[in-house]
Amino acid sequence: MKFRNAGRHIKESFKSIKRNGWMTFAAISAVAITLLLVGSLIALLMNVNKLASDVEEDVSVRVYVATGTEESEQEALRSELDEIGNIESIEFSSREEELDNVMGSYGEEFGLFEGDDNPLHDVFILNTSLPEYTSEVAEEAEKLGPVVDNVNYGGAEADRLFELMGTVRNVGAVIIGALIFTAVFLISNTIRITIFSRRTEIEIMKLVGATNWFIRWPFLIEGALIGFAGALIPVSIISYFYLRGFDTLMGYLSGTYFSLLPPNPFLLQIVVLLLTIGIVIGSVGSSLSIRKFLKV
């Protein structure tokens, strides 16, 4: 676009939007409804992914030390555990601390088991660098000799959990991709209808010698403006309900290991994403729709 023509193209775009009021309203509505659906699903799936990550991070390998193991043997075991790959951190919980945790969860009746009557074991808690390494680390820990009484990480249930979380992410990505494709299709067709109603105007401009890009630029700007205006509506709706829902749901999740994505910067990312999608789809939709009318 030549700089001297930029003002004219922008002015023509606004005139066209005003002149074709009902078609502009239809195009903006299509953008708004589609992006509201896309944005809502993205916000939902991103938070499901966050909760899934919290669940995965809460899964750890618990290495139970055999009763009667000397302190020096425990230190030797810790050194061997340190040598296992893919471990992010190792925590030690004594049998007394384990009993306190059980009493806190199940009641004071477990207070009968004290001192030598305590049936619980000292435990090394291994947190892996990635959840996928949990079973591998558990298998390596089981090989560390007689001082290891048992190793537990949830077994098949944890493996199914990781598989489920992977499925949720993959399905979510496919759904989002399908919705964005649907958005492109709906918006492009709506803009095509708008351009079709002005095909005579385009033909006249071609016949008097206007270049393709001279004709195309006002439509591209108009499509971008329609996409931007249409994206503002879902951005406002999603921001309002996310802020309200975040405060409510975080009240239920308080005291747990789980949390939602904080509004800052998550909402800013959603705003930028939807506005960008609206502008790009509006421009691309106009470009694709006008091509056939430029062949005069």
Side-chain angles (χ1 to χ4, degrees):
M1 183 198 306
K2 295 181 180 179
F3 182 76
R4 66 176 181 270
N5 292 328
R8 178 199 173 279
H9 292 326
I10 294 172
K11 185 177 179 180
E12 285 298 316
S13 299
F14 279 102
K15 281 184 178 179
S16 177
I17 288 173
K18 184 177 179 180
R19 185 168 59 245
N20 300 279
W22 283 110
M23 295 305 298
T24 299
F25 175 77
I28 291 176
S29 298
V31 174
I33 294 171
T34 307
L35 291 187
L36 177 61
L37 186 58
V38 171
S40 299
L41 189 61
I42 289 175
L44 175 63
L45 290 176
M46 290 294 288
N47 277 281
V48 168
N49 184 66
K50 173 65 168 60
L51 293 173
S53 297
D54 291 341
V55 171
E56 289 177 341
E57 290 174 5
D58 193 43
V59 176
S60 57
V61 179
R62 296 175 63 85
V63 180
Y64 296 92
V65 181
T67 303
T69 300
E70 299 292 334
E71 185 174 345
S72 59
E73 293 176 310
Q74 288 188 5
E75 289 300 320
L77 174 61
R78 186 185 188 106
S79 298
E80 291 179 306
L81 292 172
D82 273 327
E83 295 176 1
I84 299 176
N86 303 316
I87 293 179
E88 188 174 86
S89 65
I90 299 177
E91 302 171 20
F92 177 76
S93 178
S94 67
R95 56 202 298 245
E96 290 77 18
E97 291 172 331
E98 290 292 295
L99 181 60
D100 290 340
N101 291 336
V102 172
M103 289 173 60
S105 300
Y106 296 103
E108 293 295 330
E109 58 269 21
F110 283 86
L112 298 173
F113 300 104
E114 295 181 352
D116 293 336
D117 293 328
N118 183 350
L120 303 180
H121 296 264
D122 294 328
V123 181
F124 285 106
I125 303 171
L126 314 181
N127 298 305
T128 58
S129 55
L130 291 174
E132 292 79 8
Y133 296 135
T134 303
S135 59
E136 178 183 323
V137 169
E139 290 175 4
E140 291 296 320
E142 287 178 340
K143 302 174 182 177
L144 297 181
V147 294
V148 176
D149 182 81
N150 186 30
V151 176
N152 180 31
Y153 71 99
E157 292 183 1
D159 292 335
R160 283 196 295 270
L161 172 65
F162 298 146
E163 184 178 347
L164 175 61
M165 295 303 101
T167 301
V168 168
R169 293 187 178 99
N170 293 335
V171 170
V174 170
I175 293 175
I176 290 174
L179 281 175
I180 291 177
F181 175 80
T182 303
V184 173
F185 178 77
L186 289 176
I187 294 167
S188 296
N189 277 283
T190 304
I191 293 175
R192 182 174 294 142
I193 295 172
T194 303
I195 295 174
F196 182 77
S197 66
R198 298 162 59 189
R199 65 191 183 281
T200 303
E201 173 187 344
I202 296 171
E203 291 173 359
I204 292 173
M205 292 177 70
K206 283 286 292 182
L207 291 173
V208 298
T211 64
N212 286 345
W213 274 107
F214 187 85
I215 298 171
R216 184 180 281 121
W217 271 115
F219 288 99
L220 291 178
I221 296 171
E222 181 181 345
L225 291 172
I226 289 173
F228 180 80
L232 287 177
I233 299 171
V235 158
S236 302
I237 295 173
I238 291 171
S239 297
Y240 173 78
F241 282 102
Y242 191 84
L243 288 171
R244 295 290 297 271
F246 180 84
D247 293 335
T248 302
L249 292 175
M250 284 304 294
Y252 291 106
L253 294 175
S254 61
T256 70
Y257 292 103
F258 310 118
S259 63
L260 301 177
L261 291 167
N264 186 21
F266 177 63
L267 280 181
L268 177 60
Q269 294 168 346
I270 289 290
V271 168
V272 171
L273 177 63
L274 292 184
L275 290 177
T276 301
I277 290 175
I279 292 171
V280 170
I281 288 177
S283 301
V284 171
S286 291
S287 179
L288 294 175
S289 301
I290 199 175
R291 283 190 307 175
K292 64 177 295 185
F293 299 108
L294 294 175
K295 299 175 182 178
V296 177

